[in-house]
Amino acid sequence: MKYQDVSGGRAVPEPLPNPYTPGQVPRVLAGRRSELARIRDQLGRVGTFGEIGGPLLVFHAPRGLGKTSLLRAAQRDAEESGFVSAWVACSRQHPFLPELVRAVGRALERAEVIPADESARWHARLDRVGVQLGVPGVRVTGEVARTPPPEPAAAPIAAVEDLLHDAADRVRRRGGAGLVTFVDELHAASADDMSVLLNAWQNLDGDREHNPLALVTAGLPVTPEALTRAATFGERSAFVPLDVLADPDARAALAAPAEALGVAWADEALDRIVREARGHPYFLQLMGSTTWAAAVPGNGDTIGLEDVVAGLPGADQQLTAMYRARWGAATKREQEFLSAMAEAGTDNVTRAQIAAALGTDTRSISVPRERLIEKGVIEPVGHGLVRFTMPGFAAYVRHRND
Ligand SMILES: Nc1ncnc2c1ncn2[C@@H]1O[C@H](COP(=O)(O)OP(=O)(O)OP(=O)(O)O)[C@@H](O)[C@H]1O
Ligand SMILES: [Mg+2]
């Protein structure tokens, strides 16, 4: 498309829109083939046999690695294959189960699974479930979940179980493949809510031929532990870690959105960003975006190394703001812990190294360690080792302390 340049009256090409999406679902999901295959496998079971997809599927990874993007791509896939999909994002501010009920209710209405003349009854049904979940004093603890749950605790489990069963059954009877529910940020759900969900899922699985349902979730790396603590059988969920993108996928994350607009990347430009971003999807999108903004390419152009270099300061500014926010959200003790980690100068740092740097014993650093893991700032990598989840954060902390 052309527009008139008012100054010279010449027609100049309209600038192409920036196709990169730092902080948003990507235009092209690079890699993640095996993860998508895991989801498709469950959906295939639901679609083909009309039965439950399998155990709770739990993707876990630190911030910015692409959990939400993966789930959104899977949701698109699922809807194209005839599924009705519900989406819930947990947060510490709102109880998760009423959100789940609302999301399932809305999904069925949007898909026109509920005939108009049943709408009032369906709403009354949802309200009843909401009441059952809101019963004051109802608590389901991990302890209760191991033994047969007593009466009050059974109410919310039965409410969730019945609702999911009924919703999936209605979808199927209207000719749909089944119901798939996506739960993002699962780590933010309370232990009680996780326990209800796990118990309900276990019951639905026990009667699997009648429940054309799948449940796909994602959360920070603490999620598997939190689920296992909420109910012992939580450990039988299918836990899948998301890693950084392998080099060819990182290159595709940059090249594919540009290619769709007729813009190419020079090899050395890709090499540079891939090296800087170390496979971290957010970094790739951010640097792709600032490079594009510096290059202002038109159809048929090639983005070069000089564009990457020109874009880097913009990316740095954005990252520094994010590092500053993470640092500011840490308590004094957590900041001391982070400084000790950063000063170690290696990617993986042992508990003993941190304790020694702080002049204390390993036990007394366990609280800040756990809190920082929960916040997704650091992650355990086995054998008592931890590392930063965001490339560049260690250098930022060292720089602050200079
Ligand atoms: N497979 C991918 N290909 C290309 N870009 C991706 C991919 N996965 C994620 N991204 C990009 O990375 C960034 C982070 O993705 P996303 O929000 O999905 O991560 P997340 O793990 O959900 O993070 P958080 O824990 O903060 O919610 C986004 O800018 C997104 O566009
Ligand atoms: Mg997310």
Side-chain angles (χ1 to χ4, degrees):
M1 211 201 295
K2 310 268 178 187
Y3 67 92
Q4 290 299 307
D5 178 347
V6 264
S7 54
R10 282 173 298 117
V12 295
E14 193 169 308
L16 292 170
N18 191 322
Y20 298 99
T21 52
Q24 291 171 301
V25 172
R27 233 164 276 288
V28 180
L29 187 85
R32 305 299 186 221
R33 280 169 289 272
S34 67
E35 292 84 357
L36 286 170
R38 292 286 296 255
I39 301 173
R40 279 194 199 121
D41 187 52
Q42 287 223 359
L43 297 184
R45 247 173 97 166
V46 178
T48 307
F49 305 121
E51 66 176 41
I52 208 160
L56 190 71
L57 196 48
V58 186
F59 293 97
H60 56 96
R63 297 237 166 262
L65 279 217
K67 300 177 292 297
T68 304
S69 303
L70 173 70
L71 262 52
R72 284 293 186 195
Q75 183 182 29
R76 247 192 340 262
D77 252 24
E79 294 200 338
E80 277 166 18
S81 321
F83 278 83
V84 171
S85 76
W87 180 279
V88 192
C90 304
S91 84
R92 300 226 181 267
Q93 278 77 45
H94 308 285
F96 151 65
L97 296 173
E99 295 282 332
L100 176 73
V101 175
R102 268 194 292 277
V104 170
R106 261 199 318 267
L108 262 63
E109 275 178 308
R110 231 187 8 247
E112 297 174 3
V113 169
I114 308 295
D117 59 351
E118 276 189 38
S119 175
R121 257 200 305 171
W122 176 245
H123 278 274
R125 167 88 214 269
L126 294 178
D127 288 346
R128 245 187 352 264
V129 176
V131 170
Q132 277 168 298
L133 292 175
V135 177
V138 166
R139 288 181 64 80
V140 183
T141 64
E143 194 50 40
V144 171
R146 268 194 289 280
T147 52
E151 271 319 296
I157 297 170
V160 170
E161 188 185 327
D162 288 351
L163 177 77
L164 290 177
H165 164 79
D166 193 21
D169 188 53
R170 280 168 183 264
V171 172
R172 194 80 186 177
R173 274 192 281 136
R174 300 274 295 183
L179 173 73
V180 53
T181 303
F182 294 93
V183 182
D184 200 6
E185 304 270 318
L186 182 57
H187 59 270
S190 69
D192 289 353
D193 285 356
M194 282 188 195
S195 175
V196 170
L197 182 69
L198 286 165
N199 275 280
W201 197 255
Q202 168 156 284
N203 295 346
L204 290 161
D205 192 39
D207 185 24
R208 69 162 203 254
E209 315 77 71
H210 299 112
N211 291 304
L213 273 169
L215 190 49
V216 182
T217 73
L220 290 175
V222 289
T223 316
E225 203 186 315
L227 283 169
T228 306
R229 240 185 282 142
T232 45
F233 53 82
E235 73 196 10
R236 293 201 295 270
S237 306
F239 298 121
V240 187
L242 275 192
D243 207 345
V244 293
L245 296 175
D247 276 5
D249 297 331
R251 297 174 90 84
L254 292 164
E259 200 182 301
L261 297 176
V263 174
W265 278 76
D267 270 342
E268 68 265 25
L270 285 180
D271 289 343
R272 177 65 190 272
I273 296 196
V274 166
R275 202 170 62 236
E276 295 266 344
R278 297 205 243 164
H280 199 283
Y282 175 76
F283 280 54
L284 291 165
Q285 293 291 344
L286 176 63
M287 291 174 190
S289 172
T290 57
T291 301
W292 185 280
V296 201
N299 189 302
D301 286 349
T302 297
I303 293 175
L305 182 57
E306 66 287 359
D307 300 318
V308 176
V309 172
L312 279 177
D316 272 349
Q317 269 172 18
Q318 171 65 21
L319 290 175
T320 304
M322 286 175 71
Y323 298 146
R324 200 181 298 124
R326 284 190 177 201
W327 178 260
T331 64
K332 184 103 188 24
R333 288 194 63 208
E334 289 164 9
Q335 289 178 349
E336 286 164 5
F337 186 103
L338 293 172
S339 296
M341 254 182 91
E343 294 303 333
T346 49
D347 277 356
N348 298 342
V349 189
T350 65
R351 237 184 265 244
Q353 267 176 301
I354 299 162
L358 295 174
T360 177
D361 58 287
T362 53
R363 224 168 337 132
S364 55
I365 58 168
S366 66
V367 173
R369 182 178 182 275
E370 289 308 308
R371 289 292 298 133
L372 287 166
I373 292 174
E374 265 170 44
K375 288 180 183 173
V377 177
I378 63 172
E379 61 180 331
V381 278
H383 307 295
L385 291 159
V386 283
R387 68 174 174 214
F388 288 107
T389 56
M390 224 177 153
F393 190 56
Y396 168 82
V397 173
R398 276 195 300 273
H399 188 67
R400 277 192 76 89
N401 295 343
D402 282 347

